[in-house]
Amino acid sequence: MTYPIDMKTHPKVDGFFDEATNTISYIVKDPASDHCAIVDSVMDIDYAAGRITYDHADTLIAEVERRGLTVDWIIETHVHADHLSAAPYLQEKLGGKVGIGANIKVVQETFGKVFNEGTEFQRDGSQFDALFEDGDTYDVGGMTCFAMHTPGHTPACMTHVMGDAAFVGDTLFMPDGGSARADFPGGDAGELYDSIQKVLTLPGEMRLFMCHDYGPNGRDIQWETTVADEKAHNIHVGGGTTREAFVKMREERDATLAVPKLILPSLQVNMRGGEVPTDDQGNPVLKVPVNGI
């Protein structure tokens, strides 16, 4: 696959850190117009109280409106298991199309069974405006962007490249953070290694933007690095780590990790494009499948 890399286009990228979920959402502006994309938004939830709010999303909306931007796309890099997407709320307020990887259909089939969803739950990705295949392009203003299929963390993971900026989702963390887990249903450590190598074939000066950061060893939160820095210093894949060594490390490490606190509400909402499921009376509800994951 040959991708339309354009290192001459330098979009303005602003990150917005959500402390509750350690997620970074982005507003990505076309340098030649007032058009933008939003990547990996967050909807706030107090799971214990069953209460959903939109403070983080409202911050994005206020910034878009303050700068007079037009939202062309609301991008999900994958079906997140640690936070809820605010895509429908943002789309209602700002417009734009919601896009995700085409393998969302695989995720919907898998978790449709886990949550015992009925036939009314569509497993064809129709909750989204666009389903990206590997190499698909789309425009943000006059900037041509493209999607790279980078599975391993989940089957639907995509890296989105906009000019000299790439949004890697959970495929990579900052160099001192390594890589994301690969033990969710549909995940695969070998696939994750292959996807990381795919990302690392991008030009060395390509800016990489993380979906999460946890401040390893007490450092300040960071979310931007480069392909060259990851290749040289990533603690899991840098310096020529072999596929065999990575898979062994990743599988052993994953076996020690706790389940994400928000995995149950996140998957139910995010596989629906950010919509909260409802009961027969139309009331928003979330399920807790016992021993389902």
Side-chain angles (χ1 to χ4, degrees):
M1 173 67 68
T2 300
Y3 299 105
I5 297 169
D6 175 17
M7 295 299 292
K8 294 181 180 179
T9 299
H10 185 76
K12 177 174 172 52
V13 179
D14 292 292
F16 298 81
F17 181 69
D18 179 60
E19 187 173 357
T21 63
N22 288 81
T23 303
I24 304 97
S25 304
Y26 297 97
I27 296 174
V28 189
K29 179 187 173 296
D30 170 28
S33 73
D34 287 328
H35 289 246
C36 72
I38 294 175
V39 180
D40 289 337
S41 63
V42 175
M43 178 167 65
D44 306 299
I45 183 171
D46 181 341
Y47 193 28
R51 184 172 297 110
I52 283 173
T53 54
Y54 299 94
D55 293 349
H56 187 78
D58 284 338
T59 299
L60 300 179
I61 292 168
E63 181 66 10
V64 166
E65 292 179 340
R66 183 187 68 81
R67 294 164 60 185
L69 302 179
T70 297
V71 176
D72 290 343
W73 285 93
I74 299 168
I75 298 293
E76 299 291 340
T77 55
H78 62 292
V79 176
H80 309 279
D82 43 25
H83 72 270
L84 283 65
S85 166
Y89 180 77
L90 292 172
Q91 187 176 45
E92 178 186 355
K93 302 291 185 180
L94 300 172
K97 296 179 180 180
V98 180
I100 198 169
N103 274 4
I104 177 63
K105 292 177 281 188
V106 176
V107 177
Q108 289 174 330
E109 186 64 34
T110 298
F111 289 104
K113 295 175 182 176
V114 169
F115 291 105
N116 193 29
E117 302 292 354
T119 56
E120 72 278 0
F121 172 56
Q122 298 300 310
R123 295 162 170 83
D124 58 1
S126 57
Q127 300 88 343
F128 299 84
D129 298 311
L131 303 181
F132 296 113
E133 301 280 0
D134 189 36
D136 279 355
T137 62
Y138 57 97
D139 294 331
V140 175
M143 178 172 58
T144 299
C145 311
F146 66 90
M148 298 171 59
H149 188 211
T150 49
H153 175 62
T154 79
C157 287
M158 307 291 284
T159 291
H160 285 265
V161 183
M162 306 181 188
D164 70 348
F167 300 85
V168 299
D170 284 6
T171 300
L172 274 171
F173 291 155
M174 293 295 291
D176 60 348
S179 60
R181 64 197 301 165
D183 61 332
F184 295 147
D188 183 273
E191 275 194 339
L192 180 59
Y193 179 86
D194 296 340
S195 293
I196 291 170
Q197 299 309 310
K198 192 174 181 180
V199 172
L200 297 183
T201 63
L202 294 169
E205 62 272 29
M206 177 74 73
R207 295 180 290 160
L208 300 182
F209 292 91
M210 311 296 110
C211 183
H212 297 287
D213 188 65
Y214 301 93
N217 302 312
R219 70 152 167 75
D220 291 341
I221 297 297
Q222 300 174 8
W223 52 73
E224 180 181 348
T225 182
T226 64
V227 168
D229 197 26
E230 291 280 16
K231 288 174 73 172
H233 303 297
N234 186 284
I235 60 172
H236 291 169
V237 295
T241 301
T242 66
R243 192 179 196 270
E244 182 181 16
F246 176 84
V247 170
K248 182 177 185 296
M249 176 281 301
R250 189 68 268 167
E251 290 180 347
E252 290 177 353
R253 182 178 176 84
D254 288 350
T256 70
L257 299 178
V259 175
K261 293 179 180 179
L262 294 180
I263 189 171
L264 295 179
S266 296
L267 292 174
Q268 290 175 79
V269 168
N270 295 340
M271 70 182 184
R272 290 175 165 84
E275 296 286 356
V276 180
T278 57
D279 62 17
D280 293 341
Q281 285 74 48
N283 301 308
V285 294
L286 294 165
K287 297 178 181 178
V288 179
V290 176
N291 297 330
I293 294 180

